[in-house]
Amino acid sequence: MTVATADLDALLERASAGVSVDGLRVEEADDGYRLATPDDEWTGLDEDELRRALDAADEYVTNWRYWQERVGGEGTARRAFLRWCERAPLADAETGNATTGPWSESGEGDADAGEDPLAVPERYDALRDGIDREWGQLSITARFVDVDDPDGERVYDLWHVDDADTDLADLEVYDDPRDARELATYDGDGRYRPLKTAPTLPGGWAFTGLSGDDLVEAVEFFYPATVANWHRELRGNLDVDHWLETAERQTGIYDVIDELPREAVAWMAEACCVDSQCLRRREWEYEEGDDLDVDGGDGPFPCREPCSLVVAAARKWTTLESEDEHTYELELTTSEINQLTELIDAVAEGRTDEIREADVYDGANRYRARYLRAKRFDDEGDLEATRVDD
């Protein structure tokens, strides 16, 4: 491959200020130009000699052109994310303290998280076939536009992880990142998804040939703020708003949620902020220095504050927790007590649709539930129970 003259001209224009990207270094000194790659070094070069040497280091030059001239944005979350997509070294990670997720060296939270970054020659070989990464329920492939004669220009494909091995002809193909907003709105059963990081993203679609900017825009429509928060955590400056400070700044109908008892906040976190319900990893606690005794999960994205869904639900729980407790007496068999446990568990875990109508041995079976209602509820639909602490 011969490096385009325009690329050499652009690089030479910047040589006086120094060029340093992914192992390529070009400097202008009193005795001429100095060029270095991880494998070779040239010194005292005139301009023609530098051009010939750069032509021999073509992959490093086109890689420089892509990152500095096409992507730019040094130090931004967008640039760091695109480099993560192709397993390029992340300079930002040197000062960060991310411990889990798709960017760490621990390998937790993502199948390829612990892989070492690739140097330019290895990365170019991999980009010819496509480099696959996972971001929540998204599968991302970074690849060259021209596989046979790559000039460094990358494009990106995006689809659901469950469709990674599906033929494109069987998927709905999009090229406008704004279409991701509609795809993320409803789940596979057509129900509205109030929490975009819930693990309920439907498949059946693909975006192909996206630019870097379009890829980041589409990802942000699917998972708002995850790229920015990932980058903050990577750099060690993730700002966390804990429960109490979040609750105390609420106004209007949500002004009451700071009255939710601390133990109820823990129950709320156990109910809402777990891997089965959200792909974010809870980093907020009750307040600074007062941690909740509830696991924050292993989700790939950091959660820096209680989300709007949690705040809205907290209003209802605050009302419920303000009620006085009473003692009631009701008659149930041991099997019926066990059935109530199974019913609550099935609803809480979202398993009711999986229970077959003929499986009357499951306590959450629809006919078992209807039988219990017919036996233990009165004509007004209320459980027959007597309050005994009057």
Side-chain angles (χ1 to χ4, degrees), residues 44-355:
L45 303 175
D46 62 26
E47 184 173 313
D48 289 338
E49 291 171 331
L50 177 60
R51 286 178 178 271
R52 288 193 294 271
L54 286 171
D55 204 42
D58 56 310
E59 292 183 337
Y60 287 95
V61 175
T62 57
N63 180 73
W64 166 85
R65 189 279 311 267
Y66 179 72
W67 288 111
Q68 300 305 103
E69 302 290 288
R70 294 287 191 270
V71 176
E74 198 106 34
T76 64
R78 172 181 61 87
R79 178 186 175 96
F81 177 75
L82 292 176
R83 288 181 66 79
W84 171 83
C85 285
E86 66 177 60
R87 291 178 57 195
L90 298 180
D92 292 342
E94 294 176 3
T95 58
N97 63 355
T99 55
T100 63
W103 52 88
S104 71
E105 296 181 359
S106 68
E108 298 176 26
D110 190 286
D112 57 6
E115 294 181 352
D116 293 331
L118 298 175
V120 171
E122 291 77 19
R123 218 180 324 143
Y124 265 50
D125 286 343
L127 283 166
R128 288 180 173 87
D129 295 327
I131 298 175
D132 298 324
R133 301 290 255 164
E134 289 186 9
W135 190 261
Q137 290 185 286
L138 301 177
S139 180
I140 301 168
T141 297
R143 59 181 173 86
F144 282 132
V145 174
D146 187 343
V147 176
D148 296 325
D149 188 20
D151 61 358
E153 195 68 23
R154 281 81 148 164
V155 289
Y156 305 87
D157 303 323
L158 177 69
W159 52 83
H160 196 287
V161 290
D162 291 344
D163 296 326
D165 296 323
T166 303
D167 194 296
L168 278 179
D170 297 325
L171 301 174
E172 191 75 25
V173 178
Y174 300 89
D175 57 14
D176 187 339
R178 290 171 295 185
D179 290 325
R181 189 200 307 270
E182 181 66 22
L183 293 170
T185 300
Y186 303 97
D187 67 16
D189 294 322
R191 296 171 298 194
Y192 177 68
R193 299 175 68 242
L195 182 63
K196 293 300 181 285
T197 48
T200 56
L201 184 68
W205 48 266
F207 291 81
T208 59
L210 295 175
S211 68
D213 285 347
D214 284 348
L215 172 69
V216 175
E217 185 177 3
V219 168
E220 284 293 287
F221 279 130
F222 282 116
Y223 294 133
T226 56
V227 172
N229 287 336
W230 161 76
H231 192 236
R232 290 190 185 103
E233 186 178 54
L234 192 69
R235 304 182 75 175
N237 59 10
L238 181 70
D239 52 327
V240 176
D241 288 346
H242 297 286
W243 167 256
L244 201 55
E245 60 187 296
T246 300
E248 288 177 343
R249 69 167 180 258
Q250 302 303 310
T251 59
I253 62 173
Y254 298 110
D255 182 56
V256 299
I257 67 171
D258 61 344
E259 300 172 12
L260 188 65
R262 188 192 181 288
E263 62 178 352
V265 175
W267 296 332
M268 178 178 66
E270 184 177 349
C272 301
C273 308
V274 292
D275 294 341
S276 65
Q277 305 304 306
C278 183
L279 296 175
R280 290 186 294 183
R281 169 180 19 93
R282 180 179 58 78
E283 296 296 330
W284 55 267
E285 303 292 348
Y286 183 71
E287 63 179 323
E288 183 70 32
D290 186 359
D291 293 354
L292 297 171
D293 191 21
V294 179
D295 185 38
D298 296 316
F301 312 127
C303 179
R304 53 172 295 273
E305 65 179 345
C307 67
S308 58
L309 185 64
V310 165
V311 168
R315 176 172 174 259
K316 180 61 176 178
W317 282 314
T318 301
T319 301
L320 295 177
E321 290 299 323
S322 68
E323 296 180 1
D324 294 330
E325 292 185 345
H326 301 285
T327 302
Y328 293 87
E329 182 179 272
L330 65 158
E331 293 184 353
L332 293 173
T333 67
T334 300
S335 294
E336 288 167 348
I337 284 286
N338 294 336
Q339 184 183 354
L340 287 175
T341 301
E342 293 179 52
L343 273 167
I344 292 173
D345 185 68
V347 172
E349 298 300 327
R351 294 188 294 102
T352 54
D353 290 342
E354 302 172 9
I355 300 170

